[in-house]
PDB file of all heavy atoms in Angstrom:
ATOM      1  N   CYS R 221     -15.143   9.861  11.193  1.00 96.00           N
ATOM      2  CA  CYS R 221     -16.301  10.262  10.393  1.00 96.00           C
ATOM      3  C   CYS R 221     -16.941   9.083   9.660  1.00 96.00           C
ATOM      4  O   CYS R 221     -17.985   9.268   8.995  1.00 96.00           O
ATOM      5  CB  CYS R 221     -15.909  11.300   9.353  1.00 96.00           C
ATOM      6  SG  CYS R 221     -15.239  12.835  10.090  1.00 96.00           S
ATOM      7  N   THR R 222     -16.370   7.893   9.816  1.00 97.00           N
ATOM      8  CA  THR R 222     -16.829   6.757   9.035  1.00 97.00           C
ATOM      9  C   THR R 222     -17.586   5.738   9.935  1.00 97.00           C
ATOM     10  O   THR R 222     -17.809   5.993  11.125  1.00 97.00           O
ATOM     11  CB  THR R 222     -15.679   6.043   8.337  1.00 97.00           C
ATOM     12  OG1 THR R 222     -14.780   5.526   9.319  1.00 97.00           O
ATOM     13  CG2 THR R 222     -14.901   6.995   7.440  1.00 97.00           C
ATOM     14  N   HIS R 223     -17.903   4.602   9.357  1.00 97.00           N
ATOM     15  CA  HIS R 223     -18.566   3.513  10.089  1.00 97.00           C
ATOM     16  C   HIS R 223     -17.758   3.154  11.315  1.00 97.00           C
ATOM     17  O   HIS R 223     -16.528   3.122  11.313  1.00 97.00           O
ATOM     18  CB  HIS R 223     -18.748   2.309   9.197  1.00 97.00           C
ATOM     19  CG  HIS R 223     -19.681   1.295   9.748  1.00 97.00           C
ATOM     20  ND1 HIS R 223     -19.299   0.330  10.671  1.00 97.00           N
ATOM     21  CD2 HIS R 223     -20.988   1.022   9.448  1.00 97.00           C
ATOM     22  CE1 HIS R 223     -20.317  -0.458  10.942  1.00 97.00           C
ATOM     23  NE2 HIS R 223     -21.349  -0.098  10.240  1.00 97.00           N
ATOM     24  N   VAL R 224     -18.444   2.764  12.390  1.00 95.00           N
ATOM     25  CA  VAL R 224     -17.775   2.465  13.671  1.00 95.00           C
ATOM     26  C   VAL R 224     -16.788   1.319  13.536  1.00 95.00           C
ATOM     27  O   VAL R 224     -15.788   1.257  14.256  1.00 95.00           O
ATOM     28  CB  VAL R 224     -18.840   2.262  14.782  1.00 95.00           C
ATOM     29  CG1 VAL R 224     -19.613   0.976  14.537  1.00 95.00           C
ATOM     30  CG2 VAL R 224     -18.165   2.221  16.172  1.00 95.00           C
ATOM     31  N   ARG R 225     -17.046   0.409  12.639  1.00 96.00           N
ATOM     32  CA  ARG R 225     -16.156  -0.745  12.433  1.00 96.00           C
ATOM     33  C   ARG R 225     -15.382  -0.605  11.113  1.00 96.00           C
ATOM     34  O   ARG R 225     -14.971  -1.623  10.532  1.00 96.00           O
ATOM     35  CB  ARG R 225     -16.915  -2.024  12.477  1.00 96.00           C
ATOM     36  CG  ARG R 225     -17.373  -2.391  13.880  1.00 96.00           C
ATOM     37  CD  ARG R 225     -18.012  -3.788  13.946  1.00 96.00           C
ATOM     38  NE  ARG R 225     -19.257  -3.886  13.257  1.00 96.00           N
ATOM     39  CZ  ARG R 225     -20.432  -3.533  13.722  1.00 96.00           C
ATOM     40  NH1 ARG R 225     -20.539  -3.031  14.930  1.00 96.00           N
ATOM     41  NH2 ARG R 225     -21.528  -3.661  12.998  1.00 96.00           N
ATOM     42  N   CYS R 226     -15.100   0.614  10.696  1.00 97.00           N
ATOM     43  CA  CYS R 226     -14.377   0.853   9.443  1.00 97.00           C
ATOM     44  C   CYS R 226     -12.977   0.240   9.536  1.00 97.00           C
ATOM     45  O   CYS R 226     -12.242   0.484  10.494  1.00 97.00           O
ATOM     46  CB  CYS R 226     -14.281   2.366   9.181  1.00 97.00           C
ATOM     47  SG  CYS R 226     -13.442   2.785   7.641  1.00 97.00           S
ATOM     48  N   LYS R 227     -12.622  -0.538   8.490  1.00 97.00           N
ATOM     49  CA  LYS R 227     -11.262  -1.065   8.416  1.00 97.00           C
ATOM     50  C   LYS R 227     -10.375  -0.130   7.672  1.00 97.00           C
ATOM     51  O   LYS R 227     -10.851   0.682   6.866  1.00 97.00           O
ATOM     52  CB  LYS R 227     -11.321  -2.438   7.738  1.00 97.00           C
ATOM     53  CG  LYS R 227     -12.138  -3.471   8.431  1.00 97.00           C
ATOM     54  CD  LYS R 227     -11.989  -4.824   7.748  1.00 97.00           C
ATOM     55  CE  LYS R 227     -12.869  -5.912   8.429  1.00 97.00           C
ATOM     56  NZ  LYS R 227     -12.743  -6.013   9.798  1.00 97.00           N
ATOM     57  N   THR R 228      -9.084  -0.224   7.917  1.00 96.00           N
ATOM     58  CA  THR R 228      -8.128   0.709   7.231  1.00 96.00           C
ATOM     59  C   THR R 228      -7.023  -0.113   6.560  1.00 96.00           C
ATOM     60  O   THR R 228      -6.736  -1.222   6.957  1.00 96.00           O
ATOM     61  CB  THR R 228      -7.487   1.641   8.265  1.00 96.00           C
ATOM     62  OG1 THR R 228      -6.776   0.939   9.229  1.00 96.00           O
ATOM     63  CG2 THR R 228      -8.546   2.533   8.932  1.00 96.00           C
ATOM     64  N   LEU R 229      -6.434   0.544   5.557  1.00 96.00           N
ATOM     65  CA  LEU R 229      -5.242  -0.020   4.934  1.00 96.00           C
ATOM     66  C   LEU R 229      -4.297   1.083   4.578  1.00 96.00           C
ATOM     67  O   LEU R 229      -4.728   2.180   4.223  1.00 96.00           O
ATOM     68  CB  LEU R 229      -5.598  -0.905   3.721  1.00 96.00           C
ATOM     69  CG  LEU R 229      -6.211  -0.264   2.436  1.00 96.00           C
ATOM     70  CD1 LEU R 229      -5.104   0.179   1.490  1.00 96.00           C
ATOM     71  CD2 LEU R 229      -7.082  -1.262   1.770  1.00 96.00           C
ATOM     72  N   TRP R 230      -3.030   0.810   4.716  1.00 97.00           N
ATOM     73  CA  TRP R 230      -1.957   1.781   4.406  1.00 97.00           C
ATOM     74  C   TRP R 230      -0.902   1.024   3.576  1.00 97.00           C
ATOM     75  O   TRP R 230      -0.274   0.085   4.065  1.00 97.00           O
ATOM     76  CB  TRP R 230      -1.349   2.295   5.720  1.00 97.00           C
ATOM     77  CG  TRP R 230      -0.131   3.187   5.588  1.00 97.00           C
ATOM     78  CD1 TRP R 230       1.166   2.782   5.708  1.00 97.00           C
ATOM     79  CD2 TRP R 230      -0.139   4.550   5.329  1.00 97.00           C
ATOM     80  NE1 TRP R 230       1.986   3.861   5.548  1.00 97.00           N
ATOM     81  CE2 TRP R 230       1.214   4.997   5.308  1.00 97.00           C
ATOM     82  CE3 TRP R 230      -1.105   5.533   5.115  1.00 97.00           C
ATOM     83  CZ2 TRP R 230       1.595   6.261   5.086  1.00 97.00           C
ATOM     84  CZ3 TRP R 230      -0.737   6.855   4.899  1.00 97.00           C
ATOM     85  CH2 TRP R 230       0.595   7.208   4.913  1.00 97.00           C
ATOM     86  N   LEU R 231      -0.761   1.410   2.315  1.00 97.00           N
ATOM     87  CA  LEU R 231       0.202   0.779   1.432  1.00 97.00           C
ATOM     88  C   LEU R 231       1.160   1.874   0.938  1.00 97.00           C
ATOM     89  O   LEU R 231       0.844   2.664   0.083  1.00 97.00           O
ATOM     90  CB  LEU R 231      -0.530   0.148   0.241  1.00 97.00           C
ATOM     91  CG  LEU R 231      -1.481  -1.017   0.601  1.00 97.00           C
ATOM     92  CD1 LEU R 231      -2.384  -1.321  -0.568  1.00 97.00           C
ATOM     93  CD2 LEU R 231      -0.656  -2.208   1.010  1.00 97.00           C
ATOM     94  N   ALA R 232       2.329   1.910   1.563  1.00 96.00           N
ATOM     95  CA  ALA R 232       3.313   2.940   1.289  1.00 96.00           C
ATOM     96  C   ALA R 232       4.597   2.384   0.725  1.00 96.00           C
ATOM     97  O   ALA R 232       5.103   1.365   1.244  1.00 96.00           O
ATOM     98  CB  ALA R 232       3.598   3.722   2.579  1.00 96.00           C
ATOM     99  N   HIS R 233       5.122   3.021  -0.297  1.00 97.00           N
ATOM    100  CA  HIS R 233       6.454   2.696  -0.790  1.00 97.00           C
ATOM    101  C   HIS R 233       7.398   3.745  -0.205  1.00 97.00           C
ATOM    102  O   HIS R 233       7.349   4.913  -0.589  1.00 97.00           O
ATOM    103  CB  HIS R 233       6.475   2.758  -2.314  1.00 97.00           C
ATOM    104  CG  HIS R 233       7.774   2.247  -2.893  1.00 97.00           C
ATOM    105  ND1 HIS R 233       9.014   2.644  -2.500  1.00 97.00           N
ATOM    106  CD2 HIS R 233       7.974   1.297  -3.846  1.00 97.00           C
ATOM    107  CE1 HIS R 233       9.954   2.034  -3.199  1.00 97.00           C
ATOM    108  NE2 HIS R 233       9.360   1.202  -4.023  1.00 97.00           N
ATOM    109  N   TYR R 234       8.133   3.320   0.841  1.00 95.00           N
ATOM    110  CA  TYR R 234       9.070   4.258   1.490  1.00 95.00           C
ATOM    111  C   TYR R 234      10.379   4.411   0.662  1.00 95.00           C
ATOM    112  O   TYR R 234      10.681   3.587  -0.166  1.00 95.00           O
ATOM    113  CB  TYR R 234       9.384   3.719   2.878  1.00 95.00           C
ATOM    114  CG  TYR R 234       8.200   3.686   3.797  1.00 95.00           C
ATOM    115  CD1 TYR R 234       7.469   2.524   3.970  1.00 95.00           C
ATOM    116  CD2 TYR R 234       7.789   4.836   4.501  1.00 95.00           C
ATOM    117  CE1 TYR R 234       6.366   2.504   4.809  1.00 95.00           C
ATOM    118  CE2 TYR R 234       6.693   4.795   5.307  1.00 95.00           C
ATOM    119  CZ  TYR R 234       5.978   3.634   5.459  1.00 95.00           C
ATOM    120  OH  TYR R 234       4.873   3.623   6.286  1.00 95.00           O
ATOM    121  N   ALA R 235      11.087   5.485   0.940  1.00 94.00           N
ATOM    122  CA  ALA R 235      12.400   5.803   0.290  1.00 94.00           C
ATOM    123  C   ALA R 235      12.229   5.700  -1.221  1.00 94.00           C
ATOM    124  O   ALA R 235      13.074   5.079  -1.915  1.00 94.00           O
ATOM    125  CB  ALA R 235      13.470   4.819   0.804  1.00 94.00           C
ATOM    126  N   ILE R 236      11.226   6.339  -1.773  1.00 95.00           N
ATOM    127  CA  ILE R 236      10.914   6.189  -3.204  1.00 95.00           C
ATOM    128  C   ILE R 236      12.041   6.731  -4.079  1.00 95.00           C
ATOM    129  O   ILE R 236      12.294   6.221  -5.178  1.00 95.00           O
ATOM    130  CB  ILE R 236       9.592   6.938  -3.557  1.00 95.00           C
ATOM    131  CG1 ILE R 236       9.113   6.603  -4.979  1.00 95.00           C
ATOM    132  CG2 ILE R 236       9.678   8.426  -3.362  1.00 95.00           C
ATOM    133  CD1 ILE R 236       8.661   5.217  -5.159  1.00 95.00           C
ATOM    134  N   ASP R 237      12.824   7.688  -3.600  1.00 93.00           N
ATOM    135  CA  ASP R 237      13.888   8.231  -4.399  1.00 93.00           C
ATOM    136  C   ASP R 237      15.017   7.218  -4.614  1.00 93.00           C
ATOM    137  O   ASP R 237      15.826   7.348  -5.535  1.00 93.00           O
ATOM    138  CB  ASP R 237      14.453   9.516  -3.744  1.00 93.00           C
ATOM    139  CG  ASP R 237      13.381  10.594  -3.667  1.00 93.00           C
ATOM    140  OD1 ASP R 237      12.619  10.722  -4.608  1.00 93.00           O
ATOM    141  OD2 ASP R 237      13.314  11.279  -2.623  1.00 93.00           O
ATOM    142  N   ALA R 238      15.143   6.268  -3.724  1.00 94.00           N
ATOM    143  CA  ALA R 238      16.120   5.188  -3.868  1.00 94.00           C
ATOM    144  C   ALA R 238      15.515   3.913  -4.393  1.00 94.00           C
ATOM    145  O   ALA R 238      16.145   2.853  -4.339  1.00 94.00           O
ATOM    146  CB  ALA R 238      16.778   4.957  -2.492  1.00 94.00           C
ATOM    147  N   SER R 239      14.300   3.976  -4.909  1.00 92.00           N
ATOM    148  CA  SER R 239      13.633   2.771  -5.354  1.00 92.00           C
ATOM    149  C   SER R 239      14.269   2.253  -6.635  1.00 92.00           C
ATOM    150  O   SER R 239      14.960   2.962  -7.377  1.00 92.00           O
ATOM    151  CB  SER R 239      12.140   3.041  -5.594  1.00 92.00           C
ATOM    152  OG  SER R 239      11.963   3.881  -6.707  1.00 92.00           O
ATOM    153  N   THR R 240      13.986   1.001  -6.946  1.00 95.00           N
ATOM    154  CA  THR R 240      14.435   0.362  -8.113  1.00 95.00           C
ATOM    155  C   THR R 240      13.227  -0.182  -8.899  1.00 95.00           C
ATOM    156  O   THR R 240      12.105  -0.198  -8.393  1.00 95.00           O
ATOM    157  CB  THR R 240      15.358  -0.860  -7.796  1.00 95.00           C
ATOM    158  OG1 THR R 240      14.597  -1.806  -7.069  1.00 95.00           O
ATOM    159  CG2 THR R 240      16.557  -0.410  -6.937  1.00 95.00           C
ATOM    160  N   GLU R 241      13.486  -0.622 -10.116  1.00 95.00           N
ATOM    161  CA  GLU R 241      12.423  -1.227 -10.899  1.00 95.00           C
ATOM    162  C   GLU R 241      11.855  -2.413 -10.145  1.00 95.00           C
ATOM    163  O   GLU R 241      10.594  -2.608 -10.129  1.00 95.00           O
ATOM    164  CB  GLU R 241      12.960  -1.648 -12.234  1.00 95.00           C
ATOM    165  CG  GLU R 241      11.876  -2.049 -13.260  1.00 95.00           C
ATOM    166  CD  GLU R 241      12.436  -2.303 -14.588  1.00 95.00           C
ATOM    167  OE1 GLU R 241      13.358  -1.595 -15.031  1.00 95.00           O
ATOM    168  OE2 GLU R 241      11.930  -3.254 -15.243  1.00 95.00           O
ATOM    169  N   ALA R 242      12.701  -3.185  -9.487  1.00 96.00           N
ATOM    170  CA  ALA R 242      12.246  -4.355  -8.745  1.00 96.00           C
ATOM    171  C   ALA R 242      11.425  -3.939  -7.541  1.00 96.00           C
ATOM    172  O   ALA R 242      10.384  -4.582  -7.240  1.00 96.00           O
ATOM    173  CB  ALA R 242      13.439  -5.204  -8.315  1.00 96.00           C
ATOM    174  N   SER R 243      11.830  -2.919  -6.824  1.00 95.00           N
ATOM    175  CA  SER R 243      11.053  -2.521  -5.650  1.00 95.00           C
ATOM    176  C   SER R 243       9.711  -1.935  -6.024  1.00 95.00           C
ATOM    177  O   SER R 243       8.744  -2.175  -5.330  1.00 95.00           O
ATOM    178  CB  SER R 243      11.864  -1.497  -4.790  1.00 95.00           C
ATOM    179  OG  SER R 243      11.892  -0.233  -5.392  1.00 95.00           O
ATOM    180  N   ARG R 244       9.648  -1.280  -7.147  1.00 96.00           N
ATOM    181  CA  ARG R 244       8.371  -0.698  -7.578  1.00 96.00           C
ATOM    182  C   ARG R 244       7.436  -1.865  -8.069  1.00 96.00           C
ATOM    183  O   ARG R 244       6.250  -1.853  -7.746  1.00 96.00           O
ATOM    184  CB  ARG R 244       8.579   0.283  -8.725  1.00 96.00           C
ATOM    185  CG  ARG R 244       9.233   1.577  -8.217  1.00 96.00           C
ATOM    186  CD  ARG R 244       9.482   2.572  -9.313  1.00 96.00           C
ATOM    187  NE  ARG R 244      10.151   3.751  -8.810  1.00 96.00           N
ATOM    188  CZ  ARG R 244       9.843   5.000  -9.149  1.00 96.00           C
ATOM    189  NH1 ARG R 244       8.928   5.260 -10.042  1.00 96.00           N
ATOM    190  NH2 ARG R 244      10.515   6.041  -8.610  1.00 96.00           N
ATOM    191  N   ALA R 245       8.010  -2.817  -8.789  1.00 97.00           N
ATOM    192  CA  ALA R 245       7.196  -3.935  -9.228  1.00 97.00           C
ATOM    193  C   ALA R 245       6.658  -4.731  -8.016  1.00 97.00           C
ATOM    194  O   ALA R 245       5.492  -5.150  -8.010  1.00 97.00           O
ATOM    195  CB  ALA R 245       8.009  -4.857 -10.147  1.00 97.00           C
ATOM    196  N   SER R 246       7.513  -4.875  -7.009  1.00 97.00           N
ATOM    197  CA  SER R 246       7.087  -5.592  -5.800  1.00 97.00           C
ATOM    198  C   SER R 246       5.959  -4.814  -5.064  1.00 97.00           C
ATOM    199  O   SER R 246       5.032  -5.432  -4.554  1.00 97.00           O
ATOM    200  CB  SER R 246       8.297  -5.713  -4.839  1.00 97.00           C
ATOM    201  OG  SER R 246       7.915  -6.237  -3.627  1.00 97.00           O
ATOM    202  N   HIS R 247       6.069  -3.494  -5.066  1.00 97.00           N
ATOM    203  CA  HIS R 247       5.029  -2.679  -4.436  1.00 97.00           C
ATOM    204  C   HIS R 247       3.705  -2.805  -5.207  1.00 97.00           C
ATOM    205  O   HIS R 247       2.610  -2.916  -4.558  1.00 97.00           O
ATOM    206  CB  HIS R 247       5.450  -1.217  -4.324  1.00 97.00           C
ATOM    207  CG  HIS R 247       4.565  -0.378  -3.473  1.00 97.00           C
ATOM    208  ND1 HIS R 247       4.346  -0.630  -2.160  1.00 97.00           N
ATOM    209  CD2 HIS R 247       3.735   0.653  -3.801  1.00 97.00           C
ATOM    210  CE1 HIS R 247       3.471   0.222  -1.647  1.00 97.00           C
ATOM    211  NE2 HIS R 247       3.090   1.055  -2.693  1.00 97.00           N
ATOM    212  N   LEU R 248       3.770  -2.787  -6.502  1.00 98.00           N
ATOM    213  CA  LEU R 248       2.522  -2.944  -7.302  1.00 98.00           C
ATOM    214  C   LEU R 248       1.895  -4.291  -7.047  1.00 98.00           C
ATOM    215  O   LEU R 248       0.657  -4.392  -6.898  1.00 98.00           O
ATOM    216  CB  LEU R 248       2.849  -2.722  -8.797  1.00 98.00           C
ATOM    217  CG  LEU R 248       3.252  -1.339  -9.202  1.00 98.00           C
ATOM    218  CD1 LEU R 248       3.604  -1.298 -10.698  1.00 98.00           C
ATOM    219  CD2 LEU R 248       2.165  -0.323  -8.923  1.00 98.00           C
ATOM    220  N   ALA R 249       2.701  -5.330  -6.916  1.00 98.00           N
ATOM    221  CA  ALA R 249       2.182  -6.650  -6.632  1.00 98.00           C
ATOM    222  C   ALA R 249       1.550  -6.693  -5.268  1.00 98.00           C
ATOM    223  O   ALA R 249       0.472  -7.340  -5.045  1.00 98.00           O
ATOM    224  CB  ALA R 249       3.310  -7.703  -6.754  1.00 98.00           C
ATOM    225  N   LYS R 250       2.160  -6.006  -4.322  1.00 97.00           N
ATOM    226  CA  LYS R 250       1.594  -5.922  -2.947  1.00 97.00           C
ATOM    227  C   LYS R 250       0.260  -5.243  -2.933  1.00 97.00           C
ATOM    228  O   LYS R 250      -0.697  -5.671  -2.266  1.00 97.00           O
ATOM    229  CB  LYS R 250       2.586  -5.198  -2.032  1.00 97.00           C
ATOM    230  CG  LYS R 250       2.168  -5.010  -0.608  1.00 97.00           C
ATOM    231  CD  LYS R 250       3.267  -4.292   0.164  1.00 97.00           C
ATOM    232  CE  LYS R 250       2.794  -3.890   1.556  1.00 97.00           C
ATOM    233  NZ  LYS R 250       3.807  -3.107   2.282  1.00 97.00           N
ATOM    234  N   ILE R 251       0.120  -4.148  -3.749  1.00 98.00           N
ATOM    235  CA  ILE R 251      -1.124  -3.445  -3.831  1.00 98.00           C
ATOM    236  C   ILE R 251      -2.216  -4.355  -4.417  1.00 98.00           C
ATOM    237  O   ILE R 251      -3.322  -4.450  -3.878  1.00 98.00           O
ATOM    238  CB  ILE R 251      -0.978  -2.188  -4.718  1.00 98.00           C
ATOM    239  CG1 ILE R 251      -0.141  -1.116  -3.985  1.00 98.00           C
ATOM    240  CG2 ILE R 251      -2.342  -1.627  -5.082  1.00 98.00           C
ATOM    241  CD1 ILE R 251       0.281   0.038  -4.851  1.00 98.00           C
ATOM    242  N   ALA R 252      -1.902  -5.006  -5.503  1.00 98.00           N
ATOM    243  CA  ALA R 252      -2.871  -5.904  -6.182  1.00 98.00           C
ATOM    244  C   ALA R 252      -3.326  -7.006  -5.218  1.00 98.00           C
ATOM    245  O   ALA R 252      -4.531  -7.278  -5.098  1.00 98.00           O
ATOM    246  CB  ALA R 252      -2.265  -6.524  -7.432  1.00 98.00           C
ATOM    247  N   ALA R 253      -2.388  -7.584  -4.478  1.00 97.00           N
ATOM    248  CA  ALA R 253      -2.731  -8.647  -3.527  1.00 97.00           C
ATOM    249  C   ALA R 253      -3.604  -8.170  -2.401  1.00 97.00           C
ATOM    250  O   ALA R 253      -4.599  -8.814  -2.003  1.00 97.00           O
ATOM    251  CB  ALA R 253      -1.487  -9.301  -2.994  1.00 97.00           C
ATOM    252  N   ARG R 254      -3.297  -6.966  -1.865  1.00 97.00           N
ATOM    253  CA  ARG R 254      -4.077  -6.431  -0.720  1.00 97.00           C
ATOM    254  C   ARG R 254      -5.471  -6.036  -1.138  1.00 97.00           C
ATOM    255  O   ARG R 254      -6.456  -6.283  -0.423  1.00 97.00           O
ATOM    256  CB  ARG R 254      -3.323  -5.232  -0.097  1.00 97.00           C
ATOM    257  CG  ARG R 254      -4.046  -4.603   1.056  1.00 97.00           C
ATOM    258  CD  ARG R 254      -4.254  -5.597   2.200  1.00 97.00           C
ATOM    259  NE  ARG R 254      -5.096  -5.036   3.224  1.00 97.00           N
ATOM    260  CZ  ARG R 254      -6.432  -5.126   3.284  1.00 97.00           C
ATOM    261  NH1 ARG R 254      -7.089  -5.716   2.309  1.00 97.00           N
ATOM    262  NH2 ARG R 254      -7.087  -4.592   4.317  1.00 97.00           N
ATOM    263  N   ILE R 255      -5.587  -5.411  -2.310  1.00 97.00           N
ATOM    264  CA  ILE R 255      -6.902  -5.026  -2.825  1.00 97.00           C
ATOM    265  C   ILE R 255      -7.785  -6.248  -3.121  1.00 97.00           C
ATOM    266  O   ILE R 255      -8.964  -6.245  -2.873  1.00 97.00           O
ATOM    267  CB  ILE R 255      -6.795  -4.107  -4.082  1.00 97.00           C
ATOM    268  CG1 ILE R 255      -6.030  -2.816  -3.754  1.00 97.00           C
ATOM    269  CG2 ILE R 255      -8.170  -3.855  -4.687  1.00 97.00           C
ATOM    270  CD1 ILE R 255      -6.738  -1.917  -2.744  1.00 97.00           C
ATOM    271  N   ALA R 256      -7.166  -7.300  -3.563  1.00 96.00           N
ATOM    272  CA  ALA R 256      -7.845  -8.571  -3.858  1.00 96.00           C
ATOM    273  C   ALA R 256      -8.454  -9.183  -2.584  1.00 96.00           C
ATOM    274  O   ALA R 256      -9.346 -10.007  -2.673  1.00 96.00           O
ATOM    275  CB  ALA R 256      -6.939  -9.526  -4.557  1.00 96.00           C
TER     276      ALA R 256
END
């Protein structure tokens, strides 16, 4: 339904129930870097 050359991004934190403070911080940093 979008532009023919629409780009996509998928940023998922898998196994969230087993996540740690470090894994969450790492995921937030990954989000910030990708959005940038």
Side-chain angles (χ1 to χ4, degrees):
C221 298
T222 64
H223 192 280
V224 67
R225 288 187 292 277
C226 181
K227 297 186 183 309
T228 61
L229 67 89
W230 173 263
L231 296 166
H233 189 309
Y234 296 96
I236 191 70
D237 299 320
S239 70
T240 63
E241 190 173 322
S243 72
R244 290 178 183 222
S246 174
H247 189 64
L248 292 176
K250 180 180 172 182
I251 290 169
R254 179 60 187 88
I255 297 298

